[in-house]
Each structure stands twice: as C-alpha cells, then as structure tokens.
Amino acid sequence: MNASTQTQAHEYELRFQSLFDEGRAYAFPCDAQGHVDMDQLSDRARQNYLYARAVIGREVAMPAVLPSRLH
C-alpha cells in the first residue's frame, strides 16, 4: 500500500453497528469500497474485525462504509 492509498484508506471506516445497543459499534479504517487492510491493524483490532464479520446478523448489522469520524 503506497502513501496515497493509506491516506485514502483513512478517509473511510467500515462500521458494524450493534443490533442491541445503538451506542455500540465496531469501526475499522477502510477504502471507499470497504476494503480493510488487515496487515495495518493491531492484533486486537484484527481479532475484533474478524469477530465482527463472524457475527453479522446475530450481534451486528451488515457493515456500512462511512466517512471516517477521525476527520
């Protein structure tokens, strides 16, 4: 991933909203298409990302690509 791709990747987040607690969600930096660079995640973030993907429809909603809240 080059520097311009890294910059673009942090403009968006892939957000998995909790189905049971409106104030809770998992969010991960991604590109405009929702692709998460797992190599750039910490070990804990990677585990959370894989968990969120595994519980779609049971604990979290389908993920949405949103503008990053960090900007």
Coordinates of all heavy atoms in Angstrom, one line a residue:
M1 N 0.9 -1.2 0.0 CA 0.0 0.0 0.0 C 0.9 1.2 0.0 O 1.7 1.4 0.9 CB -0.9 0.0 1.2 CG -1.9 1.1 1.3 SD -2.9 1.1 2.8 CE -4.1 -0.1 2.3
N2 N 0.7 2.1 -1.0 CA 1.5 3.3 -1.0 C 0.9 4.4 -0.1 O -0.2 4.3 0.4 CB 1.8 3.8 -2.4 CG 0.5 4.2 -3.1 OD1 -0.4 4.7 -2.5 ND2 0.4 3.9 -4.4
A3 N 1.7 5.5 0.0 CA 1.2 6.6 0.9 C -0.1 7.2 0.5 O -0.9 7.5 1.3 CB 2.3 7.7 1.0
S4 N -0.4 7.4 -0.8 CA -1.6 8.0 -1.2 C -2.8 7.0 -0.9 O -3.9 7.4 -0.6 CB -1.6 8.4 -2.7 OG -1.5 7.2 -3.5
T5 N -2.6 5.7 -1.1 CA -3.6 4.7 -0.8 C -3.9 4.7 0.7 O -5.0 4.6 1.2 CB -3.2 3.3 -1.2 OG1 -2.9 3.4 -2.6 CG2 -4.3 2.3 -1.0
Q6 N -2.8 4.8 1.6 CA -3.0 4.9 3.0 C -3.8 6.1 3.4 O -4.7 6.0 4.2 CB -1.7 4.9 3.7 CG -1.0 3.6 3.8 CD 0.3 3.7 4.6 OE1 0.9 4.7 4.7 NE2 0.7 2.5 5.1
T7 N -3.6 7.2 2.8 CA -4.3 8.4 3.1 C -5.8 8.2 2.7 O -6.7 8.6 3.5 CB -3.7 9.7 2.3 OG1 -2.4 9.8 2.7 CG2 -4.5 10.9 2.6
Q8 N -6.1 7.7 1.5 CA -7.4 7.5 1.1 C -8.1 6.5 2.0 O -9.3 6.6 2.3 CB -7.4 6.9 -0.3 CG -7.0 7.9 -1.3 CD -6.9 7.3 -2.7 OE1 -7.1 6.1 -2.9 NE2 -6.5 8.1 -3.7
A9 N -7.4 5.5 2.5 CA -8.0 4.4 3.3 C -8.5 5.0 4.6 O -9.5 4.5 5.1 CB -6.9 3.3 3.6
H10 N -7.8 6.0 5.2 CA -8.3 6.6 6.4 C -9.4 7.6 6.3 O -9.8 8.2 7.3 CB -7.1 7.1 7.2 CG -6.1 6.0 7.6 ND1 -6.4 5.1 8.5 CD2 -4.9 5.7 7.1 CE1 -5.4 4.2 8.6 NE2 -4.4 4.6 7.7
E11 N -9.8 7.9 5.1 CA -10.9 8.8 4.9 C -12.3 8.1 5.2 O -13.3 8.8 5.3 CB -10.9 9.4 3.5 CG -9.7 10.3 3.2 CD -9.7 10.8 1.8 OE1 -10.7 10.7 1.1 OE2 -8.7 11.3 1.4
Y12 N -12.3 6.8 5.2 CA -13.5 6.0 5.4 C -13.3 5.0 6.5 O -12.2 4.6 6.9 CB -13.8 5.2 4.1 CG -14.1 6.1 3.0 CD1 -13.1 6.5 2.1 CD2 -15.4 6.7 2.8 CE1 -13.3 7.3 1.0 CE2 -15.6 7.5 1.7 CZ -14.6 7.8 0.8 OH -14.8 8.7 -0.2
E13 N -14.4 4.6 7.1 CA -14.4 3.5 8.1 C -15.5 2.5 7.7 O -16.6 2.8 7.2 CB -14.6 4.0 9.5 CG -16.0 4.6 9.7 CD -16.1 5.2 11.2 OE1 -15.1 5.5 11.8 OE2 -17.3 5.3 11.6
L14 N -15.2 1.2 8.0 CA -16.2 0.2 7.8 C -16.8 0.0 9.2 O -16.1 -0.4 10.2 CB -15.5 -1.1 7.4 CG -16.4 -2.3 7.0 CD1 -17.3 -1.9 5.8 CD2 -15.6 -3.5 6.7
R15 N -18.1 0.3 9.3 CA -18.8 0.3 10.6 C -19.8 -0.8 10.8 O -20.7 -1.0 10.0 CB -19.4 1.6 10.8 CG -20.0 1.9 12.2 CD -20.5 3.3 12.3 NE -21.1 3.6 13.6 CZ -20.4 3.9 14.7 NH1 -19.1 4.0 14.6 NH2 -21.0 4.1 15.8
F16 N -19.6 -1.6 11.8 CA -20.5 -2.7 12.2 C -21.3 -2.3 13.4 O -20.8 -2.3 14.5 CB -19.7 -4.0 12.5 CG -18.9 -4.6 11.4 CD1 -17.6 -4.1 11.1 CD2 -19.4 -5.7 10.7 CE1 -16.9 -4.6 10.1 CE2 -18.6 -6.2 9.7 CZ -17.3 -5.7 9.4
Q17 N -22.6 -1.9 13.2 CA -23.4 -1.3 14.3 C -24.0 -2.5 15.1 O -24.5 -3.5 14.5 CB -24.5 -0.5 13.7 CG -25.4 0.2 14.7 CD -24.6 1.2 15.5 OE1 -23.9 2.0 15.0 NE2 -24.8 1.2 16.8
S18 N -24.0 -2.4 16.4 CA -24.6 -3.4 17.2 C -26.1 -3.4 17.0 O -26.8 -2.4 16.8 CB -24.4 -3.0 18.7 OG -25.2 -3.9 19.5
L19 N -26.7 -4.6 17.0 CA -28.1 -4.8 16.8 C -28.9 -4.6 18.1 O -30.1 -4.4 18.1 CB -28.4 -6.2 16.3 CG -27.9 -6.6 14.9 CD1 -28.2 -8.1 14.6 CD2 -28.6 -5.7 13.9
F20 N -28.2 -4.6 19.2 CA -28.8 -4.5 20.5 C -28.5 -3.2 21.3 O -29.3 -2.9 22.2 CB -28.4 -5.7 21.4 CG -28.7 -7.0 20.7 CD1 -27.6 -7.8 20.2 CD2 -30.0 -7.4 20.5 CE1 -27.9 -9.0 19.5 CE2 -30.2 -8.6 19.9 CZ -29.2 -9.4 19.4
D21 N -27.5 -2.5 21.0 CA -27.1 -1.3 21.7 C -26.7 -0.2 20.7 O -25.6 -0.3 20.1 CB -25.9 -1.6 22.6 CG -25.5 -0.4 23.5 OD1 -26.0 0.7 23.3 OD2 -24.6 -0.6 24.4
E22 N -27.6 0.7 20.5 CA -27.4 1.7 19.5 C -26.1 2.5 19.6 O -25.5 2.9 18.6 CB -28.6 2.7 19.5 CG -28.6 3.7 18.4 CD -29.8 4.6 18.4 OE1 -30.9 4.1 18.6 OE2 -29.6 5.8 18.2
G23 N -25.6 2.6 20.8 CA -24.3 3.4 21.0 C -23.1 2.5 20.8 O -22.0 3.0 21.0
R24 N -23.2 1.3 20.5 CA -22.0 0.4 20.3 C -21.8 0.0 18.9 O -22.8 -0.4 18.2 CB -22.3 -0.8 21.2 CG -21.1 -1.7 21.3 CD -21.2 -2.7 22.4 NE -20.0 -3.5 22.4 CZ -19.8 -4.5 23.1 NH1 -20.8 -5.0 23.9 NH2 -18.7 -5.2 23.1
A25 N -20.6 0.0 18.5 CA -20.3 -0.5 17.1 C -18.8 -0.8 17.1 O -18.0 -0.4 17.9 CB -20.6 0.6 16.1
Y26 N -18.4 -1.5 16.0 CA -17.0 -1.8 15.7 C -16.7 -0.9 14.4 O -17.6 -1.0 13.5 CB -16.8 -3.2 15.4 CG -16.9 -4.2 16.5 CD1 -18.1 -4.9 16.8 CD2 -15.8 -4.4 17.4 CE1 -18.2 -5.7 17.8 CE2 -16.0 -5.3 18.5 CZ -17.2 -5.9 18.7 OH -17.3 -6.8 19.7
A27 N -15.6 -0.2 14.4 CA -15.3 0.5 13.2 C -13.8 0.4 12.9 O -13.0 0.3 13.8 CB -15.6 2.0 13.4
F28 N -13.5 0.2 11.6 CA -12.2 -0.1 11.1 C -11.9 0.8 9.9 O -12.7 1.0 9.1 CB -12.1 -1.6 10.7 CG -12.5 -2.5 11.8 CD1 -13.8 -2.9 11.9 CD2 -11.6 -2.8 12.8 CE1 -14.2 -3.8 12.9 CE2 -12.0 -3.6 13.9 CZ -13.3 -4.1 13.9
P29 N -10.6 1.3 9.8 CA -10.3 2.1 8.6 C -10.4 1.3 7.4 O -10.0 0.1 7.4 CB -8.8 2.6 8.9 CG -8.3 1.7 10.0 CD -9.5 1.1 10.7
C30 N -10.9 1.9 6.3 CA -11.0 1.2 5.0 C -10.9 2.1 3.9 O -10.9 3.3 4.1 CB -12.4 0.4 5.0 SG -13.8 1.5 4.9
D31 N -11.0 1.6 2.6 CA -11.0 2.4 1.5 C -12.5 2.7 1.1 O -13.4 2.2 1.8 CB -10.2 1.8 0.3 CG -10.7 0.5 -0.2 OD1 -11.9 0.2 0.1 OD2 -10.0 -0.2 -0.9
A32 N -12.7 3.4 0.0 CA -14.0 3.8 -0.4 C -14.9 2.6 -0.7 O -16.1 2.7 -0.7 CB -14.0 4.8 -1.6
Q33 N -14.3 1.5 -1.1 CA -15.1 0.3 -1.4 C -15.3 -0.6 -0.2 O -15.9 -1.7 -0.3 CB -14.4 -0.6 -2.5 CG -14.4 0.1 -3.9 CD -13.4 1.2 -3.9 OE1 -12.3 1.2 -3.4 NE2 -13.7 2.3 -4.6
G34 N -14.8 -0.3 1.0 CA -15.0 -1.0 2.2 C -13.9 -2.1 2.5 O -14.1 -2.9 3.3
H35 N -12.8 -2.0 1.7 CA -11.7 -3.0 1.9 C -10.8 -2.6 3.1 O -10.3 -1.5 3.1 CB -10.9 -3.1 0.7 CG -11.6 -3.6 -0.5 ND1 -11.6 -2.9 -1.7 CD2 -12.4 -4.6 -0.7 CE1 -12.4 -3.5 -2.6 NE2 -12.9 -4.6 -2.0
V36 N -10.7 -3.4 4.1 CA -9.9 -3.2 5.2 C -8.5 -3.9 5.0 O -8.4 -5.0 4.6 CB -10.5 -3.8 6.5 CG1 -9.6 -3.7 7.7 CG2 -11.9 -3.1 6.8
D37 N -7.4 -3.1 5.2 CA -6.1 -3.7 5.1 C -5.7 -4.3 6.5 O -5.3 -3.6 7.4 CB -5.1 -2.6 4.8 CG -3.7 -3.1 4.6 OD1 -3.4 -4.3 4.8 OD2 -2.8 -2.3 4.2
M38 N -6.0 -5.6 6.6 CA -5.8 -6.3 7.9 C -4.3 -6.3 8.3 O -4.1 -6.3 9.5 CB -6.3 -7.7 7.8 CG -7.8 -7.8 7.6 SD -8.5 -9.5 7.5 CE -7.6 -10.4 8.7
D39 N -3.4 -6.1 7.4 CA -2.0 -6.0 7.8 C -1.7 -4.8 8.6 O -0.7 -4.7 9.3 CB -1.1 -6.1 6.6 CG -1.1 -7.5 5.9 OD1 -1.5 -8.5 6.6 OD2 -0.9 -7.6 4.7
Q40 N -2.5 -3.7 8.4 CA -2.3 -2.5 9.1 C -3.0 -2.4 10.5 O -2.8 -1.4 11.2 CB -2.8 -1.3 8.2 CG -2.0 -1.2 6.9 CD -0.5 -0.8 7.1 OE1 -0.2 0.0 8.0 NE2 0.3 -1.5 6.4
L41 N -3.8 -3.4 10.8 CA -4.5 -3.4 12.1 C -3.6 -4.0 13.2 O -2.8 -4.9 12.9 CB -5.8 -4.3 11.9 CG -6.8 -3.8 11.0 CD1 -8.0 -4.8 10.9 CD2 -7.4 -2.4 11.3
S42 N -3.8 -3.5 14.4 CA -3.1 -4.2 15.5 C -3.7 -5.6 15.7 O -4.8 -5.9 15.1 CB -3.4 -3.3 16.8 OG -4.7 -3.4 17.2
D43 N -3.1 -6.4 16.5 CA -3.6 -7.7 16.8 C -5.0 -7.7 17.3 O -5.9 -8.4 16.9 CB -2.7 -8.5 17.7 CG -1.4 -8.9 17.0 OD1 -1.3 -9.0 15.8 OD2 -0.4 -9.1 17.8
R44 N -5.2 -6.8 18.3 CA -6.6 -6.7 18.9 C -7.6 -6.2 17.9 O -8.7 -6.8 17.8 CB -6.5 -5.8 20.1 CG -7.9 -5.7 20.8 CD -7.8 -5.0 22.1 NE -9.1 -5.0 22.7 CZ -9.4 -5.1 23.9 NH1 -8.4 -5.1 24.8 NH2 -10.6 -5.1 24.4
A45 N -7.3 -5.2 17.1 CA -8.2 -4.7 16.1 C -8.5 -5.8 15.0 O -9.6 -6.0 14.6 CB -7.6 -3.5 15.4
R46 N -7.5 -6.6 14.7 CA -7.7 -7.7 13.7 C -8.6 -8.7 14.3 O -9.6 -9.2 13.6 CB -6.4 -8.3 13.3 CG -6.5 -9.3 12.2 CD -5.1 -9.9 11.8 NE -4.1 -8.9 11.6 CZ -3.1 -8.7 12.4 NH1 -2.9 -9.4 13.4 NH2 -2.2 -7.7 12.1
Q47 N -8.5 -9.1 15.5 CA -9.4 -10.0 16.2 C -10.8 -9.5 16.2 O -11.8 -10.2 16.0 CB -8.9 -10.3 17.6 CG -7.6 -11.2 17.6 CD -7.1 -11.3 19.0 OE1 -7.6 -10.8 20.0 NE2 -6.0 -12.1 19.2
N48 N -10.9 -8.2 16.6 CA -12.3 -7.6 16.6 C -12.9 -7.5 15.2 O -14.1 -7.8 15.1 CB -12.2 -6.2 17.2 CG -12.0 -6.2 18.7 OD1 -12.3 -7.1 19.4 ND2 -11.4 -5.1 19.2
Y49 N -12.1 -7.3 14.2 CA -12.6 -7.2 12.8 C -13.1 -8.6 12.4 O -14.2 -8.7 11.9 CB -11.5 -6.7 11.9 CG -11.9 -6.8 10.4 CD1 -12.9 -6.0 9.9 CD2 -11.2 -7.6 9.6 CE1 -13.2 -6.0 8.6 CE2 -11.6 -7.7 8.2 CZ -12.6 -6.9 7.7 OH -12.9 -6.9 6.4
L50 N -12.3 -9.6 12.7 CA -12.8 -11.0 12.3 C -14.0 -11.4 13.1 O -14.9 -12.1 12.6 CB -11.6 -12.0 12.5 CG -10.4 -11.7 11.6 CD1 -9.2 -12.6 12.0 CD2 -10.8 -12.0 10.1
Y51 N -14.0 -11.0 14.4 CA -15.2 -11.3 15.2 C -16.5 -10.6 14.6 O -17.5 -11.2 14.5 CB -15.0 -10.9 16.7 CG -16.2 -11.0 17.5 CD1 -16.6 -12.2 18.0 CD2 -17.0 -9.9 17.8 CE1 -17.7 -12.4 18.8 CE2 -18.1 -10.0 18.6 CZ -18.5 -11.3 19.1 OH -19.6 -11.4 19.8
A52 N -16.4 -9.3 14.4 CA -17.5 -8.6 13.8 C -18.0 -9.2 12.5 O -19.2 -9.3 12.3 CB -17.1 -7.1 13.6
R53 N -17.1 -9.6 11.7 CA -17.5 -10.3 10.4 C -18.2 -11.6 10.7 O -19.2 -11.9 10.0 CB -16.3 -10.5 9.5 CG -15.8 -9.3 8.9 CD -14.6 -9.5 8.0 NE -14.5 -10.9 7.4 CZ -13.5 -11.3 6.7 NH1 -12.6 -10.4 6.3 NH2 -13.4 -12.5 6.2
A54 N -17.8 -12.3 11.7 CA -18.4 -13.6 12.0 C -19.8 -13.5 12.6 O -20.6 -14.4 12.6 CB -17.5 -14.4 13.0
V55 N -20.1 -12.4 13.3 CA -21.4 -12.3 14.0 C -22.4 -11.3 13.3 O -23.4 -10.9 13.9 CB -21.2 -11.9 15.5 CG1 -20.4 -12.9 16.2 CG2 -20.6 -10.5 15.6
I56 N -22.2 -11.1 12.0 CA -23.1 -10.2 11.2 C -24.5 -10.9 11.2 O -24.6 -12.1 11.0 CB -22.6 -10.0 9.8 CG1 -21.4 -9.2 9.7 CG2 -23.7 -9.4 8.9 CD1 -20.7 -9.1 8.4
G57 N -25.5 -10.2 11.6 CA -26.9 -10.7 11.6 C -27.3 -11.3 12.9 O -28.4 -11.5 13.2
R58 N -26.3 -11.6 13.8 CA -26.6 -12.1 15.1 C -26.3 -11.1 16.2 O -27.1 -11.0 17.1 CB -25.7 -13.4 15.4 CG -26.1 -14.5 14.5 CD -25.3 -15.8 14.9 NE -23.9 -15.5 14.7 CZ -23.1 -16.2 14.1 NH1 -23.5 -17.3 13.5 NH2 -21.8 -15.9 14.0
E59 N -25.2 -10.3 16.1 CA -24.9 -9.3 17.1 C -24.7 -7.9 16.4 O -24.9 -6.9 17.1 CB -23.6 -9.7 17.8 CG -23.9 -10.9 18.7 CD -22.7 -11.2 19.7 OE1 -22.0 -10.2 20.0 OE2 -22.5 -12.3 20.0
V60 N -24.3 -7.9 15.2 CA -24.1 -6.6 14.5 C -24.8 -6.6 13.1 O -25.0 -7.7 12.6 CB -22.6 -6.3 14.3 CG1 -21.8 -6.2 15.6 CG2 -21.9 -7.4 13.4
A61 N -25.1 -5.4 12.7 CA -25.7 -5.3 11.3 C -24.7 -5.4 10.2 O -23.5 -5.4 10.5 CB -26.4 -3.9 11.3
M62 N -25.2 -5.6 9.0 CA -24.3 -5.5 7.9 C -23.4 -4.3 7.9 O -23.9 -3.2 8.3 CB -25.0 -5.6 6.6 CG -25.7 -6.9 6.3 SD -24.5 -8.2 5.9 CE -23.8 -7.7 4.4
P63 N -22.1 -4.4 7.6 CA -21.3 -3.2 7.8 C -21.6 -2.1 6.7 O -22.1 -2.4 5.6 CB -19.9 -3.7 7.5 CG -20.1 -5.0 6.7 CD -21.4 -5.5 7.2
A64 N -21.4 -0.9 7.1 CA -21.6 0.3 6.2 C -20.2 1.0 6.0 O -19.5 1.1 7.0 CB -22.6 1.2 6.8
V65 N -20.0 1.5 4.8 CA -18.8 2.3 4.6 C -19.2 3.8 4.8 O -20.2 4.3 4.2 CB -18.3 2.1 3.2 CG1 -17.1 3.1 2.9 CG2 -17.9 0.7 2.9
L66 N -18.6 4.4 5.8 CA -18.9 5.8 6.1 C -17.7 6.7 6.1 O -16.6 6.2 6.3 CB -19.5 5.8 7.6 CG -20.8 4.9 7.8 CD1 -21.1 4.9 9.3 CD2 -21.9 5.5 7.0
P67 N -17.9 8.0 6.0 CA -16.7 8.9 6.1 C -16.1 8.7 7.5 O -16.9 8.5 8.5 CB -17.3 10.3 6.0 CG -18.6 10.1 5.3 CD -19.1 8.7 5.7
S68 N -14.8 8.7 7.6 CA -14.2 8.5 8.9 C -14.6 9.6 9.9 O -14.6 10.7 9.6 CB -12.7 8.4 8.7 OG -12.0 8.3 10.0
R69 N -14.8 9.2 11.1 CA -15.1 10.1 12.2 C -13.9 10.8 12.7 O -13.9 11.7 13.5 CB -15.8 9.4 13.3 CG -17.2 9.0 12.9 CD -17.9 8.3 14.1 NE -19.2 7.9 13.6 CZ -20.2 7.7 14.4 NH1 -20.0 7.8 15.7 NH2 -21.4 7.3 14.0
L70 N -12.7 10.4 12.2 CA -11.4 10.9 12.7 C -11.1 12.2 12.0 O -10.3 13.0 12.4 CB -10.3 9.9 12.5 CG -10.4 8.6 13.3 CD1 -9.2 7.7 12.9 CD2 -10.4 8.9 14.8
H71 N -11.8 12.5 10.8 CA -11.5 13.7 10.1 C -12.5 14.8 10.5 O -13.5 14.7 10.9 CB -11.7 13.5 8.6 CG -10.6 12.7 8.0 ND1 -10.6 11.4 7.7 CD2 -9.3 13.1 7.8 CE1 -9.5 11.0 7.2 NE2 -8.6 12.0 7.2

